[in-house]
């Protein structure tokens, strides 16, 4: 999952899907919103889906992509539990939001 999110464009796509909420977005909406070529977006969506970070649902002729919040929460939980070798992880609030 971290490998999938390590790429700038994939992270942008994942953020957009998280912000979109449970309703998700179509690839064309994502491409327009992020100003990304559709073939490039398709590649990144496939990588995010392969990592389990997004789900895909067919609705008529459209594909709807949604962030997998459970997987995201699991990753955050894992990092929080293991990143500090059992110690308390000090998280300082960021002044800017990504």
């Amino acid at each position: 999952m971290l490998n999938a999110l390590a790429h700038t464009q994939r992270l942008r796509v994942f953020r957009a899907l998280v912000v979109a909420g449970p309703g998700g977005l179509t690839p064309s909406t994502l491409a327009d919103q992020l100003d990304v070529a559709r073939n490039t977006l398709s590649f990144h969506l496939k990588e995010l889906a392969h990592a389990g970070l997004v789900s895909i649902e067919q609705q008529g002729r459209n594909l709807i992509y949604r962030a997998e919040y459970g997987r995201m929460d699991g990753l955050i939980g894992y990092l929080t539990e293991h990143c500090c070798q059992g110690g308390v992880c000090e998280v300082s609030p960021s002044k800017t939001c990504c």
Side-chain angles (χ1 to χ4, degrees), residues 72-90:
M72 179 184 72
D73 290 342
L75 176 60
I76 292 169
Y78 174 84
L79 292 172
T80 301
E81 183 177 337
H82 293 93
C83 73
C84 300
Q85 303 289 335
V88 176
C89 289
E90 297 292 327

Side-chain angles (χ1 to χ4, degrees), residues 1-89:
M1 285 187 275
L2 291 174
N3 189 44
L5 293 173
H7 190 279
T8 304
Q9 288 292 355
R10 283 194 289 273
L11 184 57
R12 286 182 67 222
V13 170
F14 186 69
R15 285 179 184 158
L17 290 172
V18 168
V19 170
L25 294 170
T26 63
S28 59
T29 301
L30 269 170
D32 292 344
Q33 183 177 334
L34 300 174
D35 194 28
V36 176
R38 292 188 178 163
N39 60 339
T40 302
L41 178 64
S42 176
F43 170 77
H44 292 306
L45 286 168
K46 182 178 102 175
E47 292 297 313
L48 289 168
H50 181 71
L53 291 166
V54 301
S55 62
I56 310 161
E57 179 186 348
Q58 179 105 27
Q59 284 187 354
R61 295 179 3 173
N62 294 317
L63 293 175
I64 306 296
Y65 285 84
R66 293 182 180 92
E68 283 292 325
Y69 295 100
R71 297 277 295 181
M72 179 184 72
D73 290 342
L75 176 60
I76 292 169
Y78 174 84
L79 292 172
T80 301
E81 183 177 337
H82 293 93
C83 73
C84 300
Q85 303 289 335
V88 176
C89 289

